[in-house]
Amino acid sequence: MNSWAEVARGMPLSVLPHLDRSILSPRLPPIVNITHDEYIKQEKKRLAFPPSLNGKVMHKSFCFYKNTLCRLRLLAMEVKDISTTPTNFELISALLWINWTKAFKIKPEATTRILTAVDGRPKSKPPLPNCYFGNGIAWSCAHSKAGELAQKPFSFAVKFVHDATKAVTEDYIKSAIDHYEVARQQLEFQDTFWISKWSRLPFNEIKFGWGDPQEVAPASLVDNLVVCVSQGKDIENIVVSLSLPSVVMERFEGFMKEELE
């Protein structure tokens, strides 16, 4: 992104892109030594939403203010065996996963998942070069019975999200690459909530030559995916954007209002 801004201003690139994608090649032979629940387990049609809900899709954004995040952190710390304080992103992910599951009315005995995009660049040994031009994320996967997720305390969901993110190590990433090489499976869609953190990307600092950005938001959203961005430079508030079938969005919005007000 910084390079694009430099090109837009007619400047030379301060960092040349590293284009060698072989850094993330599978091992020979592939070694899949971790279970990867983020991928589908059998051939089936990939539907973002159930057929009964296909139709008008609504796009909404919700703002998490500092006081809301502080309140959620106090609720999350009811779990004594979380090794570190949950991040804002983990708190937001857990709450959205709960409300998303309830809004879709997933059957209590069914399994609901949350896939979280985790930055794999610093986890590689050695870390990926700062100038590596390409995708360097891995997907963590937490899962729970929908009934338990909806009924148990908020701290229950936070621990699932926290532990799943923590589990994304160098070995996990290598195993995920090898799993895809062997199975060629796609990421799971059914009863699965996806979330990605954009709040650390330098949207509010990049200069394209026509002034500071007034607002930052995704131009479009993939079904099932939620994007988190900072509300502005030096502002701690986080804005989340997502798309849902209209009838589901109405329920989801109701649940969110109860938490954000």
mmCIF file of all heavy atoms in Angstrom, residues 173-216:
data_model
loop_
_atom_site.group_PDB
_atom_site.id
_atom_site.type_symbol
_atom_site.label_atom_id
_atom_site.label_comp_id
_atom_site.label_asym_id
_atom_site.label_seq_id
_atom_site.Cartn_x
_atom_site.Cartn_y
_atom_site.Cartn_z
ATOM 1 N N ILE A 173 1.060 -23.213 10.460
ATOM 2 C CA ILE A 173 1.035 -22.629 9.118
ATOM 3 C C ILE A 173 1.607 -23.598 8.090
ATOM 4 O O ILE A 173 1.043 -23.801 7.010
ATOM 5 C CB ILE A 173 1.790 -21.295 9.099
ATOM 6 C CG1 ILE A 173 1.049 -20.273 9.976
ATOM 7 C CG2 ILE A 173 1.944 -20.766 7.677
ATOM 8 C CD1 ILE A 173 1.809 -18.992 10.205
ATOM 9 N N LYS A 174 2.728 -24.228 8.420
ATOM 10 C CA LYS A 174 3.325 -25.195 7.497
ATOM 11 C C LYS A 174 2.390 -26.369 7.251
ATOM 12 O O LYS A 174 2.248 -26.852 6.121
ATOM 13 C CB LYS A 174 4.662 -25.681 8.045
ATOM 14 C CG LYS A 174 5.768 -24.643 7.975
ATOM 15 C CD LYS A 174 7.081 -25.201 8.501
ATOM 16 C CE LYS A 174 8.208 -24.197 8.350
ATOM 17 N NZ LYS A 174 9.486 -24.712 8.884
ATOM 18 N N SER A 175 1.734 -26.842 8.316
ATOM 19 C CA SER A 175 0.789 -27.947 8.174
ATOM 20 C C SER A 175 -0.406 -27.543 7.314
ATOM 21 O O SER A 175 -0.901 -28.329 6.500
ATOM 22 C CB SER A 175 0.316 -28.407 9.558
ATOM 23 O OG SER A 175 -0.608 -29.464 9.465
ATOM 24 N N ALA A 176 -0.875 -26.275 7.471
ATOM 25 C CA ALA A 176 -2.006 -25.792 6.670
ATOM 26 C C ALA A 176 -1.641 -25.723 5.192
ATOM 27 O O ALA A 176 -2.435 -26.091 4.314
ATOM 28 C CB ALA A 176 -2.450 -24.423 7.175
ATOM 29 N N ILE A 177 -0.420 -25.253 4.894
ATOM 30 C CA ILE A 177 0.039 -25.198 3.504
ATOM 31 C C ILE A 177 0.094 -26.602 2.913
ATOM 32 O O ILE A 177 -0.366 -26.852 1.789
ATOM 33 C CB ILE A 177 1.418 -24.523 3.423
ATOM 34 C CG1 ILE A 177 1.315 -23.041 3.788
ATOM 35 C CG2 ILE A 177 2.015 -24.666 2.021
ATOM 36 C CD1 ILE A 177 2.647 -22.339 3.947
ATOM 37 N N ASP A 178 0.628 -27.546 3.685
ATOM 38 C CA ASP A 178 0.741 -28.927 3.204
ATOM 39 C C ASP A 178 -0.631 -29.575 3.066
ATOM 40 O O ASP A 178 -0.868 -30.360 2.142
ATOM 41 C CB ASP A 178 1.612 -29.740 4.166
ATOM 42 C CG ASP A 178 3.071 -29.309 4.119
ATOM 43 O OD1 ASP A 178 3.426 -28.498 3.240
ATOM 44 O OD2 ASP A 178 3.852 -29.783 4.959
ATOM 45 N N HIS A 179 -1.547 -29.242 3.988
ATOM 46 C CA HIS A 179 -2.910 -29.792 3.905
ATOM 47 C C HIS A 179 -3.585 -29.369 2.603
ATOM 48 O O HIS A 179 -4.204 -30.183 1.917
ATOM 49 C CB HIS A 179 -3.740 -29.308 5.092
ATOM 50 C CG HIS A 179 -5.186 -29.691 5.020
ATOM 51 N ND1 HIS A 179 -5.667 -30.877 5.526
ATOM 52 C CD2 HIS A 179 -6.261 -29.061 4.484
ATOM 53 C CE1 HIS A 179 -6.968 -30.957 5.312
ATOM 54 N NE2 HIS A 179 -7.353 -29.859 4.670
ATOM 55 N N TYR A 180 -3.444 -28.088 2.275
ATOM 56 C CA TYR A 180 -4.056 -27.609 1.030
ATOM 57 C C TYR A 180 -3.397 -28.255 -0.183
ATOM 58 O O TYR A 180 -4.073 -28.598 -1.161
ATOM 59 C CB TYR A 180 -3.956 -26.089 0.928
ATOM 60 C CG TYR A 180 -4.637 -25.562 -0.309
ATOM 61 C CD1 TYR A 180 -6.023 -25.467 -0.367
ATOM 62 C CD2 TYR A 180 -3.904 -25.205 -1.434
ATOM 63 C CE1 TYR A 180 -6.661 -25.021 -1.517
ATOM 64 C CE2 TYR A 180 -4.534 -24.751 -2.577
ATOM 65 C CZ TYR A 180 -5.906 -24.661 -2.613
ATOM 66 O OH TYR A 180 -6.533 -24.237 -3.757
ATOM 67 N N GLU A 181 -2.091 -28.455 -0.132
ATOM 68 C CA GLU A 181 -1.378 -29.092 -1.242
ATOM 69 C C GLU A 181 -1.896 -30.500 -1.494
ATOM 70 O O GLU A 181 -2.063 -30.931 -2.634
ATOM 71 C CB GLU A 181 0.123 -29.129 -0.931
ATOM 72 C CG GLU A 181 0.968 -29.858 -1.974
ATOM 73 C CD GLU A 181 1.049 -29.123 -3.298
ATOM 74 O OE1 GLU A 181 0.658 -27.925 -3.360
ATOM 75 O OE2 GLU A 181 1.507 -29.733 -4.288
ATOM 76 N N VAL A 182 -2.216 -31.212 -0.398
ATOM 77 C CA VAL A 182 -2.669 -32.603 -0.510
ATOM 78 C C VAL A 182 -4.157 -32.682 -0.839
ATOM 79 O O VAL A 182 -4.576 -33.443 -1.715
ATOM 80 C CB VAL A 182 -2.375 -33.363 0.798
ATOM 81 C CG1 VAL A 182 -3.020 -34.746 0.777
ATOM 82 C CG2 VAL A 182 -0.869 -33.484 1.018
ATOM 83 N N ALA A 183 -4.978 -31.903 -0.119
ATOM 84 C CA ALA A 183 -6.436 -32.067 -0.208
ATOM 85 C C ALA A 183 -7.103 -31.128 -1.198
ATOM 86 O O ALA A 183 -8.185 -31.437 -1.719
ATOM 87 C CB ALA A 183 -7.052 -31.860 1.173
ATOM 88 N N ARG A 184 -6.504 -29.959 -1.461
ATOM 89 C CA ARG A 184 -7.098 -28.949 -2.348
ATOM 90 C C ARG A 184 -8.523 -28.607 -1.926
ATOM 91 O O ARG A 184 -9.406 -28.389 -2.764
ATOM 92 C CB ARG A 184 -7.086 -29.422 -3.798
ATOM 93 C CG ARG A 184 -5.700 -29.560 -4.386
ATOM 94 C CD ARG A 184 -5.004 -28.222 -4.532
ATOM 95 N NE ARG A 184 -3.609 -28.368 -4.951
ATOM 96 C CZ ARG A 184 -2.795 -27.344 -5.195
ATOM 97 N NH1 ARG A 184 -3.236 -26.107 -5.046
ATOM 98 N NH2 ARG A 184 -1.546 -27.551 -5.556
ATOM 99 N N GLN A 185 -8.769 -28.551 -0.624
ATOM 100 C CA GLN A 185 -10.085 -28.203 -0.111
ATOM 101 C C GLN A 185 -10.214 -26.690 0.044
ATOM 102 O O GLN A 185 -9.229 -25.990 0.239
ATOM 103 C CB GLN A 185 -10.317 -28.880 1.242
ATOM 104 C CG GLN A 185 -10.405 -30.402 1.169
ATOM 105 C CD GLN A 185 -10.459 -31.014 2.553
ATOM 106 O OE1 GLN A 185 -9.899 -30.493 3.501
ATOM 107 N NE2 GLN A 185 -11.141 -32.143 2.661
ATOM 108 N N GLN A 186 -11.450 -26.226 -0.035
ATOM 109 C CA GLN A 186 -11.724 -24.812 0.143
ATOM 110 C C GLN A 186 -12.066 -24.525 1.604
ATOM 111 O O GLN A 186 -12.403 -25.424 2.371
ATOM 112 C CB GLN A 186 -12.887 -24.382 -0.760
ATOM 113 C CG GLN A 186 -12.615 -24.593 -2.231
ATOM 114 C CD GLN A 186 -11.440 -23.764 -2.715
ATOM 115 O OE1 GLN A 186 -11.351 -22.574 -2.446
ATOM 116 N NE2 GLN A 186 -10.526 -24.399 -3.438
ATOM 117 N N LEU A 187 -11.975 -23.259 1.990
ATOM 118 C CA LEU A 187 -12.357 -22.889 3.340
ATOM 119 C C LEU A 187 -13.835 -23.165 3.570
ATOM 120 O O LEU A 187 -14.659 -23.034 2.662
ATOM 121 C CB LEU A 187 -12.053 -21.416 3.590
ATOM 122 C CG LEU A 187 -10.564 -21.038 3.646
ATOM 123 C CD1 LEU A 187 -10.414 -19.528 3.685
ATOM 124 C CD2 LEU A 187 -9.881 -21.669 4.837
ATOM 125 N N GLU A 188 -14.165 -23.532 4.793
ATOM 126 C CA GLU A 188 -15.534 -23.885 5.147
ATOM 127 C C GLU A 188 -16.444 -22.665 5.111
ATOM 128 O O GLU A 188 -16.076 -21.575 5.564
ATOM 129 C CB GLU A 188 -15.555 -24.509 6.541
ATOM 130 C CG GLU A 188 -16.915 -24.950 7.019
ATOM 131 C CD GLU A 188 -17.513 -26.059 6.176
ATOM 132 O OE1 GLU A 188 -17.170 -27.227 6.387
ATOM 133 O OE2 GLU A 188 -18.327 -25.719 5.284
ATOM 134 N N PHE A 189 -17.622 -22.829 4.522
ATOM 135 C CA PHE A 189 -18.634 -21.777 4.485
ATOM 136 C C PHE A 189 -19.794 -22.076 5.428
ATOM 137 O O PHE A 189 -20.322 -21.195 6.095
ATOM 138 C CB PHE A 189 -19.193 -21.629 3.061
ATOM 139 C CG PHE A 189 -18.603 -20.472 2.292
ATOM 140 C CD1 PHE A 189 -17.834 -20.685 1.163
ATOM 141 C CD2 PHE A 189 -18.831 -19.177 2.695
ATOM 142 C CE1 PHE A 189 -17.297 -19.624 0.454
ATOM 143 C CE2 PHE A 189 -18.316 -18.100 1.988
ATOM 144 C CZ PHE A 189 -17.539 -18.326 0.865
ATOM 145 N N GLN A 190 -20.227 -23.323 5.467
ATOM 146 C CA GLN A 190 -21.455 -23.662 6.172
ATOM 147 C C GLN A 190 -21.347 -23.369 7.670
ATOM 148 O O GLN A 190 -20.434 -23.838 8.345
ATOM 149 C CB GLN A 190 -21.804 -25.140 5.967
ATOM 150 C CG GLN A 190 -23.134 -25.541 6.600
ATOM 151 C CD GLN A 190 -23.514 -26.968 6.233
ATOM 152 O OE1 GLN A 190 -22.990 -27.541 5.294
ATOM 153 N NE2 GLN A 190 -24.434 -27.544 6.988
ATOM 154 N N ASP A 191 -22.284 -22.566 8.183
ATOM 155 C CA ASP A 191 -22.337 -22.215 9.606
ATOM 156 C C ASP A 191 -20.991 -21.671 10.091
ATOM 157 O O ASP A 191 -20.582 -21.919 11.228
ATOM 158 C CB ASP A 191 -22.744 -23.429 10.454
ATOM 159 C CG ASP A 191 -24.152 -23.903 10.134
ATOM 160 O OD1 ASP A 191 -24.924 -23.117 9.566
ATOM 161 O OD2 ASP A 191 -24.469 -25.066 10.441
ATOM 162 N N THR A 192 -20.316 -20.926 9.223
ATOM 163 C CA THR A 192 -18.976 -20.437 9.529
ATOM 164 C C THR A 192 -18.902 -18.928 9.358
ATOM 165 O O THR A 192 -19.326 -18.375 8.346
ATOM 166 C CB THR A 192 -17.919 -21.111 8.634
ATOM 167 O OG1 THR A 192 -17.967 -22.527 8.819
ATOM 168 C CG2 THR A 192 -16.526 -20.618 8.970
ATOM 169 N N PHE A 193 -18.342 -18.293 10.364
ATOM 170 C CA PHE A 193 -18.190 -16.841 10.428
ATOM 171 C C PHE A 193 -16.720 -16.510 10.199
ATOM 172 O O PHE A 193 -15.841 -17.057 10.860
ATOM 173 C CB PHE A 193 -18.652 -16.386 11.818
ATOM 174 C CG PHE A 193 -18.446 -14.941 12.123
ATOM 175 C CD1 PHE A 193 -19.333 -13.992 11.660
ATOM 176 C CD2 PHE A 193 -17.383 -14.525 12.911
ATOM 177 C CE1 PHE A 193 -19.163 -12.655 11.962
ATOM 178 C CE2 PHE A 193 -17.204 -13.194 13.216
ATOM 179 C CZ PHE A 193 -18.096 -12.253 12.733
ATOM 180 N N TRP A 194 -16.437 -15.637 9.236
ATOM 181 C CA TRP A 194 -15.062 -15.235 8.922
ATOM 182 C C TRP A 194 -14.832 -13.800 9.381
ATOM 183 O O TRP A 194 -15.715 -12.951 9.243
ATOM 184 C CB TRP A 194 -14.791 -15.274 7.420
ATOM 185 C CG TRP A 194 -14.909 -16.601 6.742
ATOM 186 C CD1 TRP A 194 -15.381 -17.777 7.256
ATOM 187 C CD2 TRP A 194 -14.550 -16.882 5.392
ATOM 188 N NE1 TRP A 194 -15.340 -18.762 6.315
ATOM 189 C CE2 TRP A 194 -14.834 -18.240 5.155
ATOM 190 C CE3 TRP A 194 -14.014 -16.120 4.368
ATOM 191 C CZ2 TRP A 194 -14.596 -18.852 3.930
ATOM 192 C CZ3 TRP A 194 -13.776 -16.717 3.141
ATOM 193 C CH2 TRP A 194 -14.064 -18.071 2.925
ATOM 194 N N ILE A 195 -13.626 -13.530 9.886
ATOM 195 C CA ILE A 195 -13.326 -12.166 10.304
ATOM 196 C C ILE A 195 -11.858 -11.847 10.042
ATOM 197 O O ILE A 195 -10.986 -12.702 10.191
ATOM 198 C CB ILE A 195 -13.677 -11.952 11.793
ATOM 199 C CG1 ILE A 195 -13.528 -10.473 12.180
ATOM 200 C CG2 ILE A 195 -12.848 -12.841 12.713
ATOM 201 C CD1 ILE A 195 -14.198 -10.117 13.490
ATOM 202 N N SER A 196 -11.610 -10.608 9.614
ATOM 203 C CA SER A 196 -10.254 -10.174 9.297
ATOM 204 C C SER A 196 -10.005 -8.793 9.890
ATOM 205 O O SER A 196 -10.889 -7.928 9.871
ATOM 206 C CB SER A 196 -10.044 -10.121 7.779
ATOM 207 O OG SER A 196 -8.725 -9.738 7.457
ATOM 208 N N LYS A 197 -8.802 -8.603 10.442
ATOM 209 C CA LYS A 197 -8.452 -7.336 11.098
ATOM 210 C C LYS A 197 -7.659 -6.449 10.146
ATOM 211 O O LYS A 197 -6.550 -6.799 9.732
ATOM 212 C CB LYS A 197 -7.629 -7.620 12.360
ATOM 213 C CG LYS A 197 -7.187 -6.366 13.088
ATOM 214 C CD LYS A 197 -6.535 -6.688 14.417
ATOM 215 C CE LYS A 197 -5.267 -7.479 14.258
ATOM 216 N NZ LYS A 197 -4.563 -7.688 15.538
ATOM 217 N N TRP A 198 -8.243 -5.297 9.830
ATOM 218 C CA TRP A 198 -7.556 -4.301 9.015
ATOM 219 C C TRP A 198 -7.132 -3.092 9.848
ATOM 220 O O TRP A 198 -6.616 -2.113 9.306
ATOM 221 C CB TRP A 198 -8.465 -3.808 7.893
ATOM 222 C CG TRP A 198 -8.731 -4.815 6.814
ATOM 223 C CD1 TRP A 198 -8.378 -6.127 6.805
ATOM 224 C CD2 TRP A 198 -9.412 -4.574 5.585
ATOM 225 N NE1 TRP A 198 -8.805 -6.733 5.656
ATOM 226 C CE2 TRP A 198 -9.444 -5.789 4.884
ATOM 227 C CE3 TRP A 198 -10.002 -3.444 5.018
ATOM 228 C CZ2 TRP A 198 -10.040 -5.913 3.636
ATOM 229 C CZ3 TRP A 198 -10.599 -3.564 3.776
ATOM 230 C CH2 TRP A 198 -10.612 -4.794 3.085
ATOM 231 N N SER A 199 -7.348 -3.155 11.152
ATOM 232 C CA SER A 199 -7.151 -1.966 11.992
ATOM 233 C C SER A 199 -5.692 -1.551 12.082
ATOM 234 O O SER A 199 -5.389 -0.408 12.444
ATOM 235 C CB SER A 199 -7.710 -2.213 13.401
ATOM 236 O OG SER A 199 -7.146 -3.385 13.979
ATOM 237 N N ARG A 200 -4.746 -2.447 11.784
ATOM 238 C CA ARG A 200 -3.330 -2.083 11.849
ATOM 239 C C ARG A 200 -2.774 -1.668 10.489
ATOM 240 O O ARG A 200 -1.620 -1.257 10.406
ATOM 241 C CB ARG A 200 -2.510 -3.257 12.403
ATOM 242 C CG ARG A 200 -2.758 -3.520 13.883
ATOM 243 C CD ARG A 200 -1.806 -4.566 14.422
ATOM 244 N NE ARG A 200 -2.011 -4.802 15.836
ATOM 245 C CZ ARG A 200 -1.324 -5.682 16.561
ATOM 246 N NH1 ARG A 200 -0.380 -6.409 15.972
ATOM 247 N NH2 ARG A 200 -1.565 -5.847 17.849
ATOM 248 N N LEU A 201 -3.563 -1.784 9.460
ATOM 249 C CA LEU A 201 -3.097 -1.338 8.154
ATOM 250 C C LEU A 201 -3.092 0.192 8.119
ATOM 251 O O LEU A 201 -3.978 0.837 8.681
ATOM 252 C CB LEU A 201 -4.000 -1.901 7.049
ATOM 253 C CG LEU A 201 -3.989 -3.426 6.907
ATOM 254 C CD1 LEU A 201 -4.963 -3.862 5.839
ATOM 255 C CD2 LEU A 201 -2.595 -3.926 6.567
ATOM 256 N N PRO A 202 -2.121 0.788 7.448
ATOM 257 C CA PRO A 202 -1.914 2.246 7.544
ATOM 258 C C PRO A 202 -2.817 3.071 6.640
ATOM 259 O O PRO A 202 -2.364 4.031 6.001
ATOM 260 C CB PRO A 202 -0.444 2.386 7.140
ATOM 261 C CG PRO A 202 -0.229 1.297 6.142
ATOM 262 C CD PRO A 202 -1.058 0.137 6.645
ATOM 263 N N PHE A 203 -4.102 2.730 6.591
ATOM 264 C CA PHE A 203 -5.023 3.456 5.721
ATOM 265 C C PHE A 203 -5.017 4.955 5.988
ATOM 266 O O PHE A 203 -5.052 5.767 5.061
ATOM 267 C CB PHE A 203 -6.455 2.944 5.904
ATOM 268 C CG PHE A 203 -6.689 1.545 5.394
ATOM 269 C CD1 PHE A 203 -7.065 0.537 6.256
ATOM 270 C CD2 PHE A 203 -6.550 1.239 4.053
ATOM 271 C CE1 PHE A 203 -7.298 -0.745 5.796
ATOM 272 C CE2 PHE A 203 -6.773 -0.031 3.581
ATOM 273 C CZ PHE A 203 -7.155 -1.039 4.454
ATOM 274 N N ASN A 204 -4.998 5.326 7.265
ATOM 275 C CA ASN A 204 -5.147 6.735 7.633
ATOM 276 C C ASN A 204 -3.846 7.521 7.552
ATOM 277 O O ASN A 204 -3.828 8.718 7.837
ATOM 278 C CB ASN A 204 -5.728 6.830 9.054
ATOM 279 C CG ASN A 204 -7.158 6.326 9.127
ATOM 280 O OD1 ASN A 204 -8.072 6.942 8.594
ATOM 281 N ND2 ASN A 204 -7.353 5.191 9.777
ATOM 282 N N GLU A 205 -2.752 6.855 7.194
ATOM 283 C CA GLU A 205 -1.456 7.521 7.137
ATOM 284 C C GLU A 205 -0.915 7.641 5.713
ATOM 285 O O GLU A 205 0.002 8.409 5.468
ATOM 286 C CB GLU A 205 -0.449 6.765 8.004
ATOM 287 C CG GLU A 205 -0.871 6.660 9.465
ATOM 288 C CD GLU A 205 0.032 5.730 10.254
ATOM 289 O OE1 GLU A 205 1.003 5.204 9.662
ATOM 290 O OE2 GLU A 205 -0.243 5.511 11.447
ATOM 291 N N ILE A 206 -1.471 6.862 4.795
ATOM 292 C CA ILE A 206 -0.936 6.825 3.436
ATOM 293 C C ILE A 206 -1.307 8.102 2.678
ATOM 294 O O ILE A 206 -2.442 8.587 2.766
ATOM 295 C CB ILE A 206 -1.475 5.588 2.686
ATOM 296 C CG1 ILE A 206 -0.905 4.329 3.328
ATOM 297 C CG2 ILE A 206 -1.100 5.625 1.220
ATOM 298 C CD1 ILE A 206 -1.409 3.055 2.711
ATOM 299 N N LYS A 207 -0.337 8.629 1.956
ATOM 300 C CA LYS A 207 -0.549 9.861 1.191
ATOM 301 C C LYS A 207 -0.512 9.547 -0.309
ATOM 302 O O LYS A 207 0.519 9.175 -0.843
ATOM 303 C CB LYS A 207 0.548 10.882 1.523
ATOM 304 C CG LYS A 207 0.726 11.170 3.003
ATOM 305 C CD LYS A 207 -0.480 11.862 3.609
ATOM 306 C CE LYS A 207 -0.207 12.239 5.058
ATOM 307 N NZ LYS A 207 -1.375 12.894 5.693
ATOM 308 N N PHE A 208 -1.651 9.690 -0.970
ATOM 309 C CA PHE A 208 -1.720 9.457 -2.407
ATOM 310 C C PHE A 208 -1.551 10.747 -3.204
ATOM 311 O O PHE A 208 -1.528 10.717 -4.426
ATOM 312 C CB PHE A 208 -3.045 8.787 -2.778
ATOM 313 C CG PHE A 208 -3.085 7.328 -2.450
ATOM 314 C CD1 PHE A 208 -3.614 6.887 -1.243
ATOM 315 C CD2 PHE A 208 -2.589 6.374 -3.333
ATOM 316 C CE1 PHE A 208 -3.653 5.544 -0.925
ATOM 317 C CE2 PHE A 208 -2.626 5.022 -3.030
ATOM 318 C CZ PHE A 208 -3.150 4.602 -1.820
ATOM 319 N N GLY A 209 -1.479 11.874 -2.509
ATOM 320 C CA GLY A 209 -1.234 13.130 -3.194
ATOM 321 C C GLY A 209 -2.431 14.037 -3.290
ATOM 322 O O GLY A 209 -2.349 15.115 -3.880
ATOM 323 N N TRP A 210 -3.566 13.650 -2.696
ATOM 324 C CA TRP A 210 -4.738 14.531 -2.776
ATOM 325 C C TRP A 210 -5.358 14.766 -1.385
ATOM 326 O O TRP A 210 -6.549 14.940 -1.234
ATOM 327 C CB TRP A 210 -5.784 13.970 -3.739
ATOM 328 C CG TRP A 210 -6.189 12.540 -3.474
ATOM 329 C CD1 TRP A 210 -6.992 12.083 -2.478
ATOM 330 C CD2 TRP A 210 -5.801 11.396 -4.229
ATOM 331 N NE1 TRP A 210 -7.126 10.728 -2.561
ATOM 332 C CE2 TRP A 210 -6.412 10.279 -3.634
ATOM 333 C CE3 TRP A 210 -4.993 11.210 -5.349
ATOM 334 C CZ2 TRP A 210 -6.234 8.969 -4.111
ATOM 335 C CZ3 TRP A 210 -4.824 9.910 -5.824
ATOM 336 C CH2 TRP A 210 -5.433 8.826 -5.214
ATOM 337 N N GLY A 211 -4.501 14.738 -0.347
ATOM 338 C CA GLY A 211 -4.981 15.049 0.995
ATOM 339 C C GLY A 211 -5.193 13.815 1.851
ATOM 340 O O GLY A 211 -5.075 12.687 1.383
ATOM 341 N N ASP A 212 -5.509 14.048 3.115
ATOM 342 C CA ASP A 212 -5.722 12.959 4.054
ATOM 343 C C ASP A 212 -7.044 12.252 3.767
ATOM 344 O O ASP A 212 -7.999 12.870 3.280
ATOM 345 C CB ASP A 212 -5.746 13.491 5.493
ATOM 346 C CG ASP A 212 -4.398 14.034 5.934
ATOM 347 O OD1 ASP A 212 -3.380 13.586 5.354
ATOM 348 O OD2 ASP A 212 -4.375 14.890 6.822
ATOM 349 N N PRO A 213 -7.141 10.958 4.087
ATOM 350 C CA PRO A 213 -8.411 10.243 3.890
ATOM 351 C C PRO A 213 -9.480 10.763 4.851
ATOM 352 O O PRO A 213 -9.176 11.106 5.994
ATOM 353 C CB PRO A 213 -8.046 8.792 4.197
ATOM 354 C CG PRO A 213 -6.858 8.869 5.088
ATOM 355 C CD PRO A 213 -6.090 10.070 4.634
ATOM 356 N N GLN A 214 -10.675 10.854 4.370
ATOM 357 C CA GLN A 214 -11.796 11.303 5.193
ATOM 358 C C GLN A 214 -12.522 10.136 5.844
ATOM 359 O O GLN A 214 -13.078 10.265 6.921
ATOM 360 C CB GLN A 214 -12.781 12.110 4.342
ATOM 361 C CG GLN A 214 -12.181 13.368 3.741
ATOM 362 C CD GLN A 214 -11.677 14.323 4.798
ATOM 363 O OE1 GLN A 214 -12.411 14.678 5.711
ATOM 364 N NE2 GLN A 214 -10.412 14.728 4.689
ATOM 365 N N GLU A 215 -12.512 9.005 5.166
ATOM 366 C CA GLU A 215 -13.183 7.819 5.705
ATOM 367 C C GLU A 215 -12.536 6.589 5.089
ATOM 368 O O GLU A 215 -12.128 6.603 3.925
ATOM 369 C CB GLU A 215 -14.681 7.838 5.380
ATOM 370 C CG GLU A 215 -15.462 6.689 5.980
ATOM 371 C CD GLU A 215 -16.958 6.799 5.719
ATOM 372 O OE1 GLU A 215 -17.393 7.868 5.236
ATOM 373 O OE2 GLU A 215 -17.681 5.819 5.993
ATOM 374 N N VAL A 216 -12.442 5.516 5.859
ATOM 375 C CA VAL A 216 -11.866 4.262 5.376
ATOM 376 C C VAL A 216 -12.886 3.151 5.567
ATOM 377 O O VAL A 216 -13.411 2.972 6.664
ATOM 378 C CB VAL A 216 -10.564 3.913 6.123
ATOM 379 C CG1 VAL A 216 -10.050 2.552 5.686
ATOM 380 C CG2 VAL A 216 -9.505 4.978 5.888
#
